[in-house]
């Protein structure tokens, strides 16, 4: 049996089905029990809003948990509820398919003590507080954009250091072009020279293209435009395979994922092939782990365009010509604090993936580094290493990308600035 909004169930009905009663709790039951669903996360300005699929017991919202996940908390109560409903349904469908296939329930997730209050319908005071927040948010946005002409504006910095020894406050910033910002930097070395590919977003054209800078001791030299399409491009992931350079920029606005090959490095590129079509995917990253090539990306499982939480993996024997095979446990992660990629790092023996953490009412907050401990066709294990925070300079409010190649490290940061400078 599946409970879909029928109210609280107690008593004998809980034992009326051999598999029990499956039910949604539209919150993380370790952090929020009660209701109304998806409201208190907005009211308390939480970075993420969770969902729980459980087998009901007599304990309210304390059933046997089969699946959990977290999505980026949206600006308003209605948007947050829509986003969580639309995306969490995918996991109920996936769970039911697995039960039908195996004729058994999956293993339950271990329970933890619940130490929060039981949330209830908000008081008049809380409701007025929510309405005041909405009014203040709209007024602040109007004042900053229309009166002050201030926007959230990303920037890029670099330092000639291995990523483990990087000191971010000593880094050198690339100057943002007029009415534009730079973000999502990737660095690669060629013949002893370091080249940094970035998203160059134009506030006027409202789209980004890929440009490249040569990084020198104390400055970044602008070389020119690498790839410009009619649609938005970002996250210019660059890698080398069999003496050729390839780029996998994000082209989610065009509903595909494209692989480009360098004809004359670093400025001339041609489309090699389209890896995926009619999909909403972000931040594709290709790397070799043991004997296979892997493609990691963030994908929306619905048409809600939510691409901050769900990590997917594919593998292949050849990163250029072979077809990509889907990992059996996709999506590997459903968590807006560590489900969207923001770079890749290596050392002598290991590969590290950088994941973005989203903030309340803001895309990007911090970055976290995870080491890959196991990656096979049927399993993925990662180990948390550290967090990159935006505390290395005044007026910086977020960072969401970190990348390194040999002895050069690049990252981005977020400020509020006027865009006509």
């Amino acid at each position: 049996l599946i409970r879909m909004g029928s109210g609280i169930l107690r008593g004998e009905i809980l034992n009326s089905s051999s598999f029990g009663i499956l039910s949604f709790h539209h919150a993380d039951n370790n952090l929020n029990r009660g209701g109304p669903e998806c409201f208190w996360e907005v009211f308390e300005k939480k970075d993420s809003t969770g969902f729980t699929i459980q087998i009901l017991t007599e304990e309210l919202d304390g059933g046997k948990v089969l699946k959990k996940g977290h999505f980026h908390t949206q600006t308003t109560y209605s948007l947050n509820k829509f986003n969580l409903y639309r995306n969490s349904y995918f996991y109920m469908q996936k769970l039911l398919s697995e039960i039908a296939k195996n004729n058994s329930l999956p293993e339950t997730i271990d329970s933890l003590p619940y130490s929060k209050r039981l949330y209830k319908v908000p008081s008049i005071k809380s409701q007025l507080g929510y309405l005041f927040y909405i009014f203040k948010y709209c007024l602040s946005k109007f004042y900053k954009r229309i009166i002050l002409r201030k926007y959230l504006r990303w920037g890029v910095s670099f330092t000639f250091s291995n990523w483990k020894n990087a000191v971010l406050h000593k880094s050198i910033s690339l100057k943002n072009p007029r009415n534009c910002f730079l973000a999502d930097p990737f660095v690669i070395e060629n013949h002893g020279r370091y080249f940094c590919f970035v998203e160059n977003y134009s506030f006027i054209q409202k789209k980004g293209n890929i440009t490249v800078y040569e990084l020198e001791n104390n400055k970044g030299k602008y070389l020119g435009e690498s790839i410009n399409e009619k649609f938005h491009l970002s996250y210019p992931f660059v890698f080398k395979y069999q003496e050729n350079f390839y780029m996998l920029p994000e082209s989610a606005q065009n509903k595909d994922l494209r692989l480009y090959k360098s004809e004359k490095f670093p400025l001339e590129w041609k489309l090699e092939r389209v890896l995926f079509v009619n999909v909403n995917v972000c931040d594709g990253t290709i790397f070799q782990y043991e004997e296979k090539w892997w493609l990691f990306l963030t994908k929306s499982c619905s048409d809600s365009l939510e691409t901050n939480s769900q990590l997917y993996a594919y593998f292949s024997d050849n990163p250029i010509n072979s077809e990509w095979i889907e990992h059996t446990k996709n999506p590997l992660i459903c968590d807006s604090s560590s489900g969207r990629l923001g770079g890749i790092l290596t050392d002598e023996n290991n590969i590290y993936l950088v994941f973005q953490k989203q903030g309340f009412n803001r895309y990007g907050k911090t970055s976290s580094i995870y080491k890959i401990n196991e990656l096979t066709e049927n399993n993925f294990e990662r180990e948390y290493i550290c967090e990159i925070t935006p505390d290395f300079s005044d007026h910086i409010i977020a960072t969401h990308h970190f990348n390194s190649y040999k002895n050069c490290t690049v990252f981005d940061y977020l400020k509020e600035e006027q865009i006509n400078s």
Side-chain angles (χ1 to χ4, degrees), residues 42 111 150 155 172 188 190 204 222 257 267 296 354 369 390 420:
V42 178
S111 299
K150 278 191 173 183
I172 300 167
I188 198 163
N190 188 33
I204 296 175
Y222 175 74
L257 182 63
L267 292 176
F296 274 43
V354 181
I369 299 174
N420 58 356

Side-chain angles (χ1 to χ4, degrees), residues 168-169 365-366 387-399 413:
L168 273 58
H169 72 82
K365 182 178 181 179
T366 64
E387 184 177 27
I388 307 298
T389 65
D391 303 319
F392 48 85
S393 182
D394 294 336
H395 309 300
I396 291 177
I397 56 180
T399 179
Y413 55 86

Side-chain angles (χ1 to χ4, degrees), residues 338-354:
S338 63
R340 179 165 179 170
L341 287 163
I344 187 170
L345 308 164
T346 60
D347 61 17
E348 294 82 1
N349 303 308
N350 300 292
I351 293 178
Y352 303 79
L353 297 177
V354 181

Side-chain angles (χ1 to χ4, degrees), residues 185-199:
F186 281 97
V187 62
I188 198 163
E189 181 261 347
N190 188 33
H191 299 304
R193 300 162 63 190
Y194 285 94
F195 299 90
C196 181
F197 294 85
V198 298
E199 169 197 350

Side-chain angles (χ1 to χ4, degrees), residues 249-281:
E250 178 196 313
S251 54
Q253 191 180 82
N254 201 48
K255 294 285 187 179
D256 62 14
L257 182 63
R258 299 168 156 232
L259 181 67
Y260 293 81
K261 181 180 180 181
S262 174
E263 290 191 311
K264 188 175 180 180
F265 189 85
L267 292 176
E268 297 182 15
W269 300 77
K270 70 172 183 177
L271 180 62
E272 180 76 7
R273 61 181 295 206
V274 179
L275 304 184
F276 296 96
V277 296
N278 297 321
V279 291
N280 187 25
V281 300

Side-chain angles (χ1 to χ4, degrees), residues 171-189:
S171 63
I172 300 167
S173 294
L174 302 180
K175 184 178 180 181
N176 274 330
R178 185 178 178 85
N179 292 319
C180 299
F181 69 65
L182 305 179
D184 295 351
F186 281 97
V187 62
I188 198 163
E189 181 261 347

